[in-house]
Amino acid sequence: MTILSKKISPFALLVIALLLFRAVLNFAIPLMDKTEARYAEIARIMAETNDFTTPQIDYGVPFWAKPPLSTWFSALSIKVFGENEFAVRFPYLLLNILVLLLIGRYAKEKKLDFFLPAFVLLTIPEFLIHTGVVSTDTALAFCVTLVMISFWEAVKTKDNHLWKYLFFIGLGLGMLAKGPIIFILTAPPIFVWMVFFKEYKSVWKNFNWLLGILLFALIAFPWYYLAEQKTPGFIDYFIVGEHFKRFFDASWQGDKYGFPKSQPLGMIWVFLIAFALPWILFVIQKIWQKKRTLLKDKWALFLLLWLLWTPGFFTISKSLIHPYIMPVMVPIALLITYWWNEFKHEKRLIYISLIFPIVALILFLGMQFTSKKDYFINSDKYLIETTAAKNLPVFCWEVKSYSSQFYSKGTVLIIKDELDLQHKIKSENSFLLIISKKRLKKKNSALLNSFKKLDENYKNSIYLYEK
């Protein structure tokens, strides 16, 4: 043990511990409504139907809001590991591990521990949360990282041709991860950096643009063509609606899959500070200290432009959520690594950064010793498990949650109104009904007097109708 501990650095041990903790959470925590369970259900349907062209939000209902890269990953994982939480989350754990391995080289260049930037990333709340959450933002963040790192390496090292093609591969995958946003988040900071340092010739000479564009097109375009052929109207909805009206028109009514989340202007900066603590504060401190020399430092300015552009772009958007900051977690970690030797109290920084993971661990352990853990989790998993022993049809009143769809393997159906409920009472021998507590208060239907409550969580209750 003593010999082994000498070979493994403290940062490596911490990184392994954090990844194991995240893997346990991926296994133990139910899929959460709405977003995570929605993408999990889309992947489950894809795996079940073997339709890898058109993601479906329900059987026969195409999901046009996002391209399929993350859904492909989860669907393939389901094929291998089965329909469970860990399987559907596993690809996102792997993607973030790839990011950690990709950026360790920049610590070695400074003669620091290879796992230092990985440790920084895993102690950033936003990154740790999304190292396992079923989300298109994790796939997008990986693609943005691949594009930005490949660009830097291709300009810096003229002899290594791999990076020059990884740049175009990252753009192609980004188109499949979340669409043209990959260009919006990467091209402007690259262009500004290139103009500022007059690197036009290096960029032009160091990239094989003809082969690169061809490689990009071969990765990205076939699926878009097939998707439009199979479900006409997809490109118009996705390109115009999701990429322009969604962000610049808070009153946009074209969203087929939810309602735009209207936020105050500039809310993205609040998300950045809150979900990137504590490291973002140390980055801000160093930027202020180096404000006179920063513009002369090619690497630091490249990372800073990468960091600032995404929140800068979303400043004028009212329709956003905190995962939009995921693509800029890597430059935060790389800036911390770059300036690491200049920090005076490194151990103190490490202890402070561990506060969030430790609090998360305490909360997780505490949940295991309370009988109310099933009640407060935003998932219908346990309600569906209640129905399994009954072996009866399951219905939802007016709307079904994505978690109920996933855990029932798509068998849960909707009761539209009271007339539909009356019909079910007459036609079904016995059945189960899930209804949200908000709807229950509004309806107050006398028909429910013949139902027996079996279980509940803080949002929904499940009832049994028995003849």
Side-chain angles (χ1 to χ4, degrees), residues 253-301:
Q253 299 298 314
D255 194 335
K256 296 175 178 291
Y257 312 103
F259 299 95
K261 296 176 175 60
S262 185
Q263 305 280 6
L265 288 176
M267 189 64 185
I268 191 72
W269 296 98
V270 177
F271 289 151
L272 178 62
I273 299 298
F275 287 92
L277 289 171
W279 298 108
I280 187 64
L281 299 180
F282 304 138
V283 168
I284 293 171
Q285 178 190 20
K286 295 303 293 186
I287 290 171
W288 177 254
Q289 292 173 355
K290 292 179 172 292
K291 57 184 181 293
R292 295 181 180 178
T293 60
L294 196 58
L295 296 180
K296 299 177 183 178
D297 191 324
K298 286 187 176 182
W299 177 233
L301 189 59

Side-chain angles (χ1 to χ4, degrees), residues 64 237 241-242 245-246 249 251-258 260:
W64 283 355
Y237 172 84
E242 287 285 336
K245 292 184 179 179
R246 180 181 185 87
D249 184 2
S251 63
W252 178 47
Q253 299 298 314
D255 194 335
K256 296 175 178 291
Y257 312 103

